[in-house]
């Protein structure tokens, strides 16, 4: 393992644990398989091998290294907790018991698992804000996965009012967003232009023109409304199309697309009395 490679490192990310006494199996040894699997999961899902190796070589107080460490430990605990107090005996599975520590109730264990999951999801969210700073990561298959929509981070869940199980919910919502964006691309905004917008969103609008960002944010509002089954004023779509059509230097991808030909000559006008857009 590259990130969590000792019991001392592991203990930094797990509060309220007892020190290991001589002859006792360390927590690191107990969790080794789960940590190994979690690091591979984080590599395959989020960082890619090149970025993970860079994080492993970084200082221990490096912000991104701390985030990936929290993520790996949290993911390992989520997988390990159900079986940590189980032992296999010749007669089957048994539960480890001591005379001075009372077993935790099912409710408290459930709350613990929910808390660990929230810690993991917060780490994923924060890491996704930093990873696009690396040009190498932007070329990875992981970046391709998160750039498939205009919502490359777990903030998508917040926008639709989801507070729990955010990683799993993000994966579910992502499929809905892809379907909606495919429809919007074919009808109004073109695949080429949306791909450009997605890159801007992935890089947290680091170098995005303010006018372009306003268009992207408006399209994102449309998508959120459609996820929530809220009505969208049809004029809003046409207003955005007019903005794209009237600004070829800012939106060259749209003008080079086949979708643009659907709006020649112009079929729609942006009316001042319309409440659908911000111009």
């Amino acid at each position: 393992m590259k990130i969590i490679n000792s019991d001392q490192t592991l203990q930094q990310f797990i509060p309220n644990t007892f020190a290991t006494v001589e002859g006792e199996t360390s927590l690191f040894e107990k969790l080794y398989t789960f940590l190994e699997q979690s690091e591979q999961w984080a590599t395959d899902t989020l960082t890619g091998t090149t970025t993970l190796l860079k994080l492993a070589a970084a200082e221990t107080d490096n912000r991104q290294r701390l985030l990936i460490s929290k993520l790996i430990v949290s993911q390992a605990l989520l997988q390990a907790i159900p079986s940590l107090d189980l032992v296999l005996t010749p007669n089957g599975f048994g539960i480890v018991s001591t005379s001075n520590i009372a077993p935790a109730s099912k409710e408290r264990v459930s709350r613990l698992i929910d808390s660990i999951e929230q810690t993991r999801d917060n780490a994923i969210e924060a890491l996704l804000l930093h990873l696009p700073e690396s040009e190498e990561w932007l070329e990875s298959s992981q970046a391709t996965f998160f750039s498939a929509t205009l919502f490359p981070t777990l903030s998508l869940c917040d926008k639709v009012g989801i507070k729990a199980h955010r990683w799993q919910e993000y994966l579910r919502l992502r499929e809905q967003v892809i379907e909606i964006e495919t429809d919007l691309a074919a009808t109004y905004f073109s695949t080429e232009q949306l791909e450009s917008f997605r890159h801007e969103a992935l890089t947290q609008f680091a170098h995005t023109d303010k006018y372009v960002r306003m268009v992207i944010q408006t399209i994102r509002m449309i998508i959120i409304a459609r996820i929530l089954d809220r009505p969208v004023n049809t004029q809003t779509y046409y207003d955005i199309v007019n903005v794209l059509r009237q600004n070829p230097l800012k939106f060259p991808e749209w003008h080079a697309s086949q979708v643009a030909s659907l709006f020649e000559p112009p079929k729609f006008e942006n009316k001042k009395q319309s409440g659908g857009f911000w111009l």
Side-chain angles (χ1 to χ4, degrees), residues 133-195:
E133 297 169 3
S134 166
E135 291 293 333
E136 289 182 337
W137 184 81
L138 289 174
E139 298 297 324
S140 69
S141 60
Q142 289 75 22
T144 299
F145 177 87
F146 288 102
S147 65
T149 77
L150 290 173
F151 300 90
T153 73
L154 274 60
S155 64
L156 170 61
C157 297
D158 300 326
K159 295 180 186 301
V160 299
I162 293 175
K163 303 300 182 183
H165 313 300
R166 294 167 71 225
W167 171 245
Q168 296 304 323
E169 289 296 318
Y170 173 79
L171 296 178
R172 179 182 66 81
L173 289 169
R174 177 179 176 274
E175 297 304 315
Q176 286 184 252
V177 174
I178 288 175
E179 184 176 343
I180 293 170
E181 288 188 15
T182 299
D183 176 62
L184 292 177
T187 310
Y188 300 105
F189 309 138
S190 84
T191 299
E192 296 85 349
Q193 189 61 68
L194 282 186
E195 286 180 353

Side-chain angles (χ1 to χ4, degrees), residues 19-211:
T20 304
V21 299
E22 185 177 354
E24 182 183 1
T25 303
S26 70
L27 184 60
F28 178 72
E29 292 175 290
K30 293 176 183 177
L31 291 178
Y32 187 90
T33 299
F34 299 103
L35 289 166
E36 193 172 44
Q37 292 172 349
S38 296
E39 182 174 284
Q40 191 60 53
W41 176 83
T43 304
D44 296 340
T45 306
L46 294 166
T47 67
T49 301
T50 300
T51 298
L52 186 86
L53 291 174
K54 283 189 173 183
L55 294 178
E59 297 294 330
T60 54
D61 61 350
N62 175 275
R63 169 70 172 163
Q64 292 187 46
R65 172 160 182 158
L66 289 172
L67 288 171
I68 195 67
S69 298
K70 287 182 180 179
L71 191 159
I72 290 171
V73 172
S74 299
Q75 177 68 9
L77 286 173
L78 286 175
Q79 302 301 318
I81 282 175
S83 61
L84 273 181
D85 62 349
L86 294 178
V87 292
L88 181 60
T89 73
N91 298 320
F93 283 101
I95 298 177
V96 177
S97 178
T98 65
S99 58
N100 59 351
I101 300 177
S105 66
K106 179 180 179 181
E107 291 75 16
R108 295 192 70 173
V109 172
S110 294
R111 290 200 299 270
L112 173 63
I113 291 174
D114 288 343
S115 176
I116 293 172
E117 183 181 14
Q118 185 176 22
T119 298
R120 182 203 64 182
D121 292 352
N122 289 343
I124 292 174
E125 169 73 4
L127 197 60
L128 286 172
L129 296 177
H130 288 285
L131 288 173
E133 297 169 3
S134 166
E135 291 293 333
E136 289 182 337
W137 184 81
L138 289 174
E139 298 297 324
S140 69
S141 60
Q142 289 75 22
T144 299
F145 177 87
F146 288 102
S147 65
T149 77
L150 290 173
F151 300 90
T153 73
L154 274 60
S155 64
L156 170 61
C157 297
D158 300 326
K159 295 180 186 301
V160 299
I162 293 175
K163 303 300 182 183
H165 313 300
R166 294 167 71 225
W167 171 245
Q168 296 304 323
E169 289 296 318
Y170 173 79
L171 296 178
R172 179 182 66 81
L173 289 169
R174 177 179 176 274
E175 297 304 315
Q176 286 184 252
V177 174
I178 288 175
E179 184 176 343
I180 293 170
E181 288 188 15
T182 299
D183 176 62
L184 292 177
T187 310
Y188 300 105
F189 309 138
S190 84
T191 299
E192 296 85 349
Q193 189 61 68
L194 282 186
E195 286 180 353
S196 175
F197 287 165
R198 290 173 191 135
H199 178 77
E200 300 294 342
L202 181 67
T203 56
Q204 302 301 310
F205 306 103
H207 305 290
T208 308
D209 177 272
K210 183 183 297 185
Y211 197 73

